[in-house]
Amino acid sequence: MVVTSNEVRLHVGLSASPSITELSVTEVRNALRCPRSFALGRARGQAVKFPIGSSSLGAMFHRIVECVTRERDKAAQHGMSSAAEVDGEQAPKALADGLLRRLISELEATPEAATMPGEVDDLAEALRRLAGSLAPLGGWAAAEAMQSIREHAGCDLRAQLTGPGGTSALLVGGTEELVGLSEGGLGVVEFKLADEASEELDRAQGALYRALLQRALGIDAVPVLLRCNPQPLTTALSRADADALVERRILPLIEQMVGWSGSPENAPPTARRDLCPVCPVRAECGGTYPERFEPRDSTLAGAARPMPDVAGNLAIPPMIEPFVPVAYDMEGRMEAEEIGKRIVAELRRQGVNITIKGKPVGPRLVAIEVLCPKQRVAQLDRAADDVEHQLSDDDVRYERKGPRRFFVVPRRQPRPVDLATLLARKADYLRERPGRFVVGEGMDGDVIVGDLSDGSSCHLLIGGQTGSGKSVLLRALIGSMCHFHAPAAVRFTLVDPKRVTFGGLAASVATHLSGPVFYDLEAFLPALDDLVTEMEIRYERMERCRAQNVDDYNASSADKLARRVVVVDEFQDLVAVKSLRQPFIDAVKRLGAKARAAGIHLILATQRPDRSTVPGEIKANLCGRIALRVQEAANSRIILDRGGAESLLGRGDLLADLGQGLVRGQAPMA
Ligand code: SF4
């Protein structure tokens, strides 16, 4: 793609009529990140700069390029060479020096830049990369390219956009540059300083500029993203992808934004909770939407905790339903589309014609299911090795599941999975009975759930090495069981020999705990024995009422029994100590065999699932299995009776067998 100069400078379009809401492209970008940051910026009368200072650094980038270009003009007037015109090996260095000198002057004149060292580093790196990519063009061509960046910045456009419900808004935005493309046609260019962390937003912005140009001027331009950092990278969106993005994502959003402009209280929070700690309007958000910031020890589970009302009586506060974001993953679908085409092309090159049956997009992976005639399956299996090799940069893996064939590919930009969203999606299911829990989101987008009252998931064995997400998963299991049920319905005994897994959680589920967290394993054994005794007592009570299980008993008795759940992290420490090993195994055997109907359950987790730490007696009594990433296939076989967990991606990527067959999913990491 060649950037060519053109002389289009624009300030075109409609002017706002009093009845139509005017929105800027920056505001749309903010709303894509977090509707509340948009609504708060609207209330202030100024779009929020998110991340802080990003817009001022973008402007600084353009000023620097402009200054260096002006230097060239001045030098030319005096018949001298400027930094932008040096040829040969010295060219990148001379150009980078010129740009960085200007950056230093800009930083000296902008003291607030000192508050964002990370972004300034990005900007410096972007300038170095820009110099590195322009210098090979040769002195004058490099200078001309920079001139082009400077001359065509700032085409202001305005156009009316209408959402699917018929609500319109006047959209205002300034494009950075229009270029002629080597393959013909025009491109509308967005320069990006940073890496691809906000690729989805950048694509949406590019697509929006295309829509603006079309509607304001009838210009059919392809969105082009030019990134300088971490390496020069040009990404052009196809017209179809850009238009689909606008139709399906942006127009509905614009319609909602018009609503939030008038009623900011209706703006939902971001689904990306990782943004909140760095949000520039976090304080305002806390004041305007108080439910977003619960007390530090009041996590989701705290919703069911009794709290004093105004009269001083203890009562369970009304439940705040978590926000259910619109299920949408355009970025993932585009990624699946793109890798699907490459797999088809690669197989075709090897003489194997396949069709794609489906492309489920999970939070971390896309799975391309391929179909071919039965007699060609062996050929497909052979060719798949080569596809894996050819597409090894994308870490493509070929998987066979019975007669079905898949190519599984990790996503370049994973979609975060958070517990609040999963709880909201499965609220009815979880609320119905205590002991139900969420594990994560499956590759097909469904929420993976389990139920302790179910014979195939009444006790759980969980394994995963350090960094696999095991502790986060344990917290999510406990949080999801507490969230919809009061302490009278479900109570936990937590064992945490390392003292780090349940620290913060224990405070927020304090009323759901049977007692303090056990750090000392010797002290835990008598509690385990008490549970065995409790199980026997419960059986006697159930027998008197002729109840088959704890649910039957609770339905017919006023004196209800809570489900009791024992969660032991790093249980291998119990097995490793000779004096504790046999009593622990005996208790697990008794509870594992009989405790389900009595409403007592075990969740045992280990980072070292091997034969010595997970003896057969324990394994045989824990029917539900969840494996996170483990070191070797042998560890995977201990948990799942088959390999596979050694190839997981870590950080919550998991395989779960809760009685419905093995499923792969992503545990909530926020
Ligand atoms: S603090 Fe979080 S929810 Fe509130 S505006 Fe910022 S990003 Fe959105």
Side-chain angles (χ1 to χ4, degrees):
M1 185 174 301
V2 173
V3 176
T4 59
S5 172
N6 64 64
E7 295 305 318
V8 187
R9 287 182 70 80
L10 308 164
H11 184 93
V12 195
L14 302 169
S15 52
S17 87
S19 59
I20 192 162
T21 307
E22 192 173 304
L23 301 171
S24 70
V25 173
T26 308
E27 285 180 308
V28 176
R29 203 177 151 97
N30 279 346
L32 281 165
R33 273 199 188 93
C34 172
R36 284 188 180 169
S37 73
F38 155 73
L40 290 168
R42 198 84 192 165
R44 288 176 167 186
Q46 194 183 20
V48 172
K49 286 174 183 167
F50 202 160
I52 307 169
S54 57
S55 313
S56 57
L57 287 176
M60 202 184 272
F61 172 81
H62 282 288
R63 277 202 304 275
I64 291 168
V65 171
E66 182 168 352
C67 282
V68 174
T69 318
R70 263 208 238 110
E71 269 175 20
R72 184 210 64 166
D73 293 346
K74 232 195 230 160
Q77 278 171 14
H78 294 90
M80 294 153 59
S81 288
S82 74
E85 290 169 54
V86 177
D87 277 327
E89 277 177 15
Q90 290 304 312
K93 187 172 180 317
L95 195 49
D97 286 352
L99 291 166
L100 291 175
R101 259 199 311 278
R102 288 306 327 168
L103 172 62
I104 291 165
S105 318
E106 284 283 344
L107 294 178
E108 282 168 358
T110 320
E112 63 271 22
T115 63
M116 33 187 164
E119 286 82 358
V120 170
D121 279 353
D122 278 349
L123 175 55
E125 191 53 27
L127 291 169
R128 266 187 225 109
R129 301 281 179 181
L130 178 70
S133 62
L134 291 183
L137 296 177
W140 270 101
E144 286 294 333
M146 293 212 327
Q147 176 82 346
S148 165
I149 293 173
R150 173 190 141 194
E151 279 184 358
H152 300 113
C155 305
D156 294 326
L157 299 170
R158 308 160 83 79
Q160 186 168 322
L161 298 184
T162 305
T167 306
S168 296
L170 184 71
L171 196 74
V172 183
T175 61
E176 296 200 325
E177 188 177 11
L178 274 176
V179 297
L181 305 179
S182 54
E183 56 267 34
L186 280 177
V188 53
V189 178
E190 260 299 292
F191 292 96
K192 292 293 166 199
L193 299 181
D195 61 18
E196 293 174 66
S198 52
E199 174 84 7
E200 188 183 355
L201 290 178
D202 297 341
R203 281 170 178 264
Q205 191 173 354
L208 197 51
Y209 282 132
R210 166 175 162 76
L212 264 175
L213 278 166
Q214 264 178 334
R215 285 161 173 86
L217 294 169
I219 290 179
D220 179 21
V222 174
V224 179
L225 303 175
L226 262 183
R227 228 175 267 287
C228 304
N229 192 11
Q231 68 236 342
L233 181 70
T234 307
T235 315
L237 268 76
S238 74
R239 289 178 170 82
D241 283 348
D243 292 344
L245 199 51
V246 170
E247 281 301 317
R248 290 192 220 136
R249 181 83 172 108
I250 294 174
L251 292 182
L253 179 71
I254 283 178
E255 200 152 59
Q256 288 177 304
M257 289 170 70
V258 173
W260 298 330
S261 304
S263 315
E265 69 280 3
N266 292 338
T270 178
R272 284 191 50 194
R273 290 186 164 202
D274 56 310
L275 291 177
C276 297
V278 295
C279 174
V281 286
R282 183 173 159 80
E284 278 166 77
C285 180
T288 313
Y289 307 97
E291 87 277 17
R292 184 70 183 156
F293 295 102
E294 299 110 0
R296 205 174 69 87
D297 67 344
S298 175
T299 56
L300 292 168
R305 178 196 299 190
M307 290 183 180
D309 63 15
V310 281
N313 300 317
L314 275 185
I316 294 175
M319 195 90 66
I320 300 164
E321 289 295 337
F323 160 62
V324 189
V326 182
Y328 185 86
D329 193 355
M330 172 58 96
E331 186 66 29
R333 276 187 246 166
M334 291 201 306
E335 238 180 81
E337 190 68 38
E338 187 231 335
I339 194 77
K341 279 184 192 155
R342 287 166 56 202
I343 288 168
V344 170
E346 199 54 50
L347 285 169
R348 195 167 291 151
R349 211 173 51 78
Q350 296 181 48
V352 185
N353 281 324
I354 50 119
T355 49
I356 291 183
K357 187 176 173 206
K359 295 185 284 269
V361 177
R364 298 279 295 278
L365 299 159
V366 293
I368 314 284
E369 182 171 4
V370 296
L371 285 180
C372 73
K374 232 182 189 167
Q375 60 276 21
R376 294 294 175 105
V377 172
Q379 194 188 355
L380 168 64
D381 289 347
R382 282 193 299 277
D385 284 347
D386 211 46
V387 174
E388 282 185 342
H389 180 69
Q390 293 297 334
L391 303 181
S392 57
D393 282 354
D394 294 293
D395 202 10
V396 173
R397 301 269 171 100
Y398 184 59
E399 287 185 5
R400 307 164 203 206
K401 291 184 186 158
R404 300 171 72 188
R405 298 292 185 268
F406 296 86
F407 287 93
V408 178
V409 193
R411 289 179 58 169
R412 285 191 286 266
Q413 207 180 336
R415 172 167 50 78
V417 174
D418 69 281
L419 182 59
T421 306
L422 301 186
L423 293 181
R425 288 175 62 189
K426 282 289 167 189
D428 291 344
Y429 172 83
L430 295 168
R431 197 178 274 131
E432 209 174 296
R433 188 158 59 207
R436 289 182 168 178
F437 54 89
V438 298
V439 176
E441 185 177 326
M443 283 186 51
D444 50 5
D446 281 351
V447 182
I448 304 171
V449 290
D451 186 346
L452 292 180
S453 64
D454 184 326
S456 45
S457 54
C458 53
H459 307 290
L460 304 179
L461 173 62
I462 299 175
Q465 66 187 45
T466 309
S468 64
K470 175 171 61 67
S471 302
V472 184
L473 172 66
L474 286 176
R475 291 194 285 266
L477 295 177
I478 296 167
S480 62
M481 279 190 260
C482 289
H483 186 64
F484 291 103
H485 296 283
V490 59
R491 298 183 87 82
F492 291 86
T493 302
L494 303 183
V495 186
D496 184 7
K498 293 222 158 74
R499 296 175 177 251
V500 289
T501 305
F502 300 129
L505 179 92
S508 61
V509 298
T511 53
H512 281 81
L513 297 187
S514 307
V517 178
F518 287 100
Y519 300 122
D520 176 358
L521 297 175
E522 280 185 41
F524 164 62
L525 274 188
L528 199 58
D529 286 339
D530 288 349
L531 271 178
V532 176
T533 311
E534 162 92 18
M535 175 182 75
E536 300 299 349
I537 294 170
R538 285 185 171 204
Y539 269 111
E540 283 169 23
R541 286 170 72 174
M542 283 167 12
E543 202 180 338
R544 281 200 294 274
C545 293
R546 297 209 166 90
Q548 300 257 328
N549 56 41
V550 75
D551 291 325
D552 288 351
Y553 176 85
N554 285 342
S556 59
S557 169
D559 184 14
K560 310 228 181 281
L561 296 172
R563 281 196 184 272
R564 301 284 305 270
V565 186
V566 181
V567 187
V568 187
D569 192 22
E570 309 304 1
F571 76 88
Q572 77 275 0
D573 293 1
L574 274 162
V575 183
V577 180
K578 209 170 167 196
S579 60
L580 305 178
R581 181 182 171 97
Q582 205 47 49
F584 175 67
I585 291 177
D586 288 346
V588 169
K589 270 163 66 179
R590 294 187 68 186
L591 289 170
K594 265 176 75 180
R596 174 178 73 92
I600 298 174
H601 310 274
L602 297 171
I603 300 179
L604 305 187
T606 176
Q607 59 170 289
R608 272 192 294 118
D610 55 40
R611 253 177 229 293
S612 63
T613 54
V614 189
E617 299 102 309
I618 288 186
K619 194 174 153 183
N621 284 293
L622 305 177
C623 39
R625 310 284 175 79
I626 303 176
L628 297 119
R629 187 180 164 88
V630 292
Q631 250 159 9
E632 296 169 7
N635 305 128
S636 176
R637 281 193 287 277
I638 293 287
I639 302 289
L640 299 172
D641 295 322
R642 67 179 98 185
E646 73 283 3
S647 313
L648 294 172
L649 302 173
R651 292 190 49 75
D653 189 18
L654 58 82
L655 288 166
D657 187 351
L658 302 173
Q660 312 293 323
L662 195 69
V663 287
R664 187 164 180 180
Q666 171 64 37
M669 296 301 284

